[in-house]
Amino acid sequence: MAEREPAVSSAPAHLSIPAFDPPRKPKRNKYALACSFLASMTSILLGYDIGVMSGAIIYIQKDLQITDVQKEVIMGILNVYSLLGSAAAGRTSDWIGRRYTIVFAGAIFFAGALLMGFATNYAFLMVGRFVAGIGVGYALMIAPVYTAEVAPASSRGFLTSFAEVFINFGILLGYVSNFAFSKLPTNIGWRFMLGIGAVPSIFLALGVLAMPESPRWLVMQGRLGEAKRVLDRTSDSLEESKLRLSDIKEAAGIPENCDDDIVSVSKQHHGRGVWRDLLFRPSPAVRHILMCAVGIHFFQQASGIDSVVLYSPEIFEKAGITNDTDKLLATMAVGFTKTIFILVATFLLDKIGRRPLLLSSVAGMILSLVGLGIGLTIIEHADHKLIWAVALCIATVLSYVAFFSIGMGPITWVYSSEIFPLRLRAQGCSMGVAANRVTSGVISMTFISLYNAISIGGAFFLYAGIAVIAWVFFYTLYPETQGKTLEEMETFFGTFFKWRSTMRALEEKKGESNGQLQLTTTTTTTANQSWS
């Protein structure tokens, strides 16, 4: 019995091969979390502008005596202007890097906020909206791209969702700003509301300078030594760091055995041919990826979120709340609800997965939109105030933004930033953001005209119908991406409606490979035990 003990004690020899141990949940990488946190703060700029305009427009309309059409335009035009920023951000980020593009976005928004704060008339205000829109476009594109490229696969969903968290936090700050300055004289209050938005951009620019550059961008520039150091700090383990570097080098066309700190990278990896491969001659996988990225951005906005967030005071007025202060307080409740539920979503993305959250989120949005449409229609046709109908409208507005924030909001940015191959990522994401901003601009600039044409209840029934189409689109075309590395993502796309069978085949192939390796390892371990 005593002679058998050494053989038993040597049995854990297989522990020296961690790849075959039961996977342990890695600790949250604090450095990657800090980098993602700082980068995602750029999204505050968009959120603040959305939130603050919903209340400021009440006082702008009184002060500048603008029409309903001018009101619609000033509310939604920033989304159209941001197209220019998002279109330029892809090339800019490939040129000067992800980090300095974030600083550039903050500087542009700073100028735009000051111009809006000092606006003396409608035309001046439109100039400020134009400049701020460029900054918002840059920020929207670059924050999720940078975060996806820095984050380890185990927490990429959690970290990439920070962008949506800060959009919601910015919206809440805008609502609070509305309430805080609402007691000032009308001609001063709205200028403070808009101008104070310059403050976050200063802290943003200073904070971003403490971040490292994206390791994928560094590899594209041939700066392998710097990329390795960043990956070592942002990965869950040194083994993962080596694997990520190897995958990025392969995607950038650098030989795997090249370990120089500085290498020469072919010019084709600096953007040449990107638009050809993305739009004019895409592979089936790229075509599927582009369809998914643009589709999720389109449906995020087409299902009416900006109408609810931008026009909350208007909706509550239609529901029977007429006092300005009460409308702003109810609107603040919308901001708090969105912020609370987006925080919940960040912890679920890497546990539950993208698809379950997305599908359940859209289903909840559909029910909420139908309930809101019913409540507003009943109130519109009632000859006296119905308290239960008012309560239904408030409850369904809050449930709508809650369901949006739990899935549709954050997953749009997470999903679209992680599915593109490296060489197409910046430009591909900018196309998604462009679709997002165009749709948002159309929705926000037509809401008043839409409900005047088909009634306010009818407008929300229309959004509910669009959300139904979105649910079917997501269910049939979107593979699960949870836990997959960015470099292997492309293998799950390309078969469109047949992606499930493709994923099963890939999983079976991976299982067979792992089984063979496990068998080899077990045989080796047994031989070692027998020798002992």
Side-chain angles (χ1 to χ4, degrees):
M1 185 70 104
E3 292 177 358
R4 294 172 63 183
E5 287 179 1
V8 175
S9 64
S10 65
H14 71 283
L15 293 175
S16 61
I17 307 176
F20 301 105
D21 288 339
R24 296 178 182 177
K25 186 178 179 181
K27 293 181 179 179
R28 193 79 71 188
N29 188 301
K30 294 179 181 178
Y31 187 71
L33 188 148
C35 294
S36 304
F37 188 89
L38 287 170
S40 301
M41 283 179 66
T42 55
S43 303
I44 287 180
L45 306 180
L46 172 64
Y48 183 84
D49 188 89
I50 292 173
V52 81
M53 280 304 294
S54 69
I57 195 65
I58 298 172
Y59 306 101
I60 293 172
Q61 192 167 24
K62 291 177 182 177
D63 186 31
L64 302 183
Q65 300 296 311
I66 61 176
T67 65
D68 278 348
V69 173
Q70 288 177 313
K71 176 181 174 180
E72 282 182 317
V73 171
I74 202 71
M75 294 281 272
I77 197 66
L78 180 133
N79 296 310
V80 178
Y81 290 153
S82 67
L83 277 174
L84 299 176
S86 62
R91 179 56 64 89
T92 304
S93 67
D94 281 346
W95 178 39
I96 65 174
R98 308 330 192 197
R99 185 174 65 149
Y100 287 113
T101 302
I102 295 173
V103 176
F104 189 49
I108 297 173
F109 189 85
F110 175 82
L114 288 183
L115 287 171
M116 289 190 290
F118 287 106
T120 54
N121 53 45
Y122 185 79
F124 196 157
L125 188 56
M126 286 291 283
V127 173
R129 300 292 282 165
F130 172 76
V131 176
I134 300 295
V136 164
Y138 266 91
L140 274 178
M141 198 290 291
I142 197 59
V145 168
Y146 175 88
T147 304
E149 293 184 346
V150 167
S154 64
S155 56
R156 190 174 59 244
F158 172 73
L159 298 179
T160 310
S161 66
F162 278 9
E164 184 70 15
V165 171
F166 281 107
I167 288 177
N168 282 272
F169 185 62
I171 289 172
L172 180 57
L173 286 179
Y175 290 159
V176 172
S177 176
N178 290 152
F179 188 75
F181 295 115
S182 62
K183 301 304 180 184
L184 293 176
T186 301
N187 64 327
I188 296 175
W190 68 264
R191 290 181 169 88
F192 268 99
M193 294 174 190
L194 298 178
I196 204 75
V199 174
S201 59
I202 299 173
F203 293 103
L204 166 70
L206 294 175
V208 167
L209 294 176
M211 292 163 31
E213 185 49 82
S214 156
R216 287 175 172 80
W217 183 82
L218 291 171
V219 171
M220 289 169 65
Q221 306 304 308
R223 292 154 62 177
L224 296 187
E226 292 178 62
K228 182 180 182 302
R229 288 190 289 273
V230 175
L231 285 170
D232 285 347
R233 298 192 69 182
T234 58
S235 298
D236 291 329
S237 65
L238 289 178
E239 289 77 10
E240 185 191 7
S241 172
K242 291 176 183 176
L243 180 62
R244 289 172 71 187
L245 181 60
S246 175
D247 289 341
I248 298 168
K249 283 160 65 176
E250 181 182 355
I254 299 172
E256 186 176 351
N257 59 357
C258 180
D259 293 320
D260 297 338
D261 281 356
I262 304 291
V263 300
S264 176
V265 180
S266 172
K267 288 185 178 180
Q268 67 175 336
H269 297 290
H270 287 279
R272 184 176 298 176
V274 167
W275 292 111
R276 179 196 63 207
D277 295 343
L278 196 60
L279 292 176
F280 303 112
R281 286 193 296 174
S283 65
V286 170
R287 189 179 295 115
H288 187 183
I289 287 169
L290 187 62
M291 182 185 299
C292 288
V294 172
I296 197 168
H297 276 285
F298 168 77
F299 283 116
Q300 186 199 51
Q301 296 300 327
S303 53
I305 186 62
D306 272 6
S307 292
V308 172
V309 174
L310 272 172
Y311 293 97
S312 288
E314 193 104 4
I315 295 168
F316 290 132
E317 183 175 348
K318 294 290 183 181
I321 303 172
T322 54
N323 181 273
D324 284 352
T325 301
D326 291 341
K327 284 188 285 187
L328 293 178
L329 283 171
T331 301
M332 282 177 63
V334 173
F336 277 111
T337 303
K338 276 181 65 62
T339 303
I340 289 168
F341 278 89
I342 188 63
L343 291 173
V344 173
T346 60
F347 292 98
L348 297 178
L349 276 166
D350 290 315
K351 293 179 180 178
I352 297 178
R354 286 36 159 177
R355 274 179 60 84
L357 274 181
L358 181 62
L359 294 174
S360 57
S361 166
V362 176
M365 289 164 58
I366 293 167
L367 294 176
S368 299
L369 286 166
V370 170
L372 181 57
I374 291 171
L376 289 170
T377 301
I378 290 172
I379 289 171
E380 191 173 22
H381 292 88
D383 54 3
H384 62 281
K385 191 169 185 176
L386 299 172
I387 300 300
W388 68 267
V390 176
L392 175 64
C393 291
I394 294 173
T396 49
V397 167
L398 296 180
S399 66
Y400 172 76
V401 297
F403 278 115
F404 178 89
S405 294
I406 206 81
M408 186 68 153
I411 290 172
T412 296
W413 304 103
V414 173
Y415 202 91
S416 61
S417 65
E418 68 184 1
I419 59 178
F420 283 102
L422 173 63
R423 197 166 74 88
L424 309 178
R425 186 167 299 134
Q427 285 81 358
C429 287
S430 69
M431 287 190 64
V433 173
N436 188 293
R437 294 298 89 200
V438 167
T439 311
S440 177
V442 171
I443 293 296
S444 54
M445 287 195 291
T446 58
F447 179 67
I448 295 175
S449 300
L450 179 66
Y451 78 62
N452 283 336
I454 64 173
S455 81
I456 192 161
F460 287 106
F461 286 132
L462 175 62
Y463 294 147
I466 294 171
V468 170
I469 297 171
W471 193 94
V472 174
F473 184 73
F474 298 149
Y475 181 79
T476 55
L477 277 172
Y478 283 59
E480 179 59 72
T481 58
Q482 178 192 11
K484 308 297 188 296
T485 68
L486 295 182
E487 281 64 43
E488 73 177 347
M489 201 72 70
E490 195 172 355
T491 60
F492 299 107
F493 292 85
T495 51
F496 299 91
F497 299 104
K498 299 178 181 178
W499 63 265
R500 290 174 181 80
S501 57
T502 302
M503 185 166 282
R504 278 197 299 269
L506 289 169
E507 292 296 331
E508 288 172 5
K509 186 176 180 181
K510 184 184 290 187
E512 290 173 3
S513 299
N514 288 342
Q516 290 175 356
L517 287 171
Q518 182 71 59
L519 180 61
T520 303
T521 305
T522 304
T523 304
T524 304
T525 303
T526 304
N528 288 338
Q529 291 175 355
S530 299
W531 181 82
S532 298

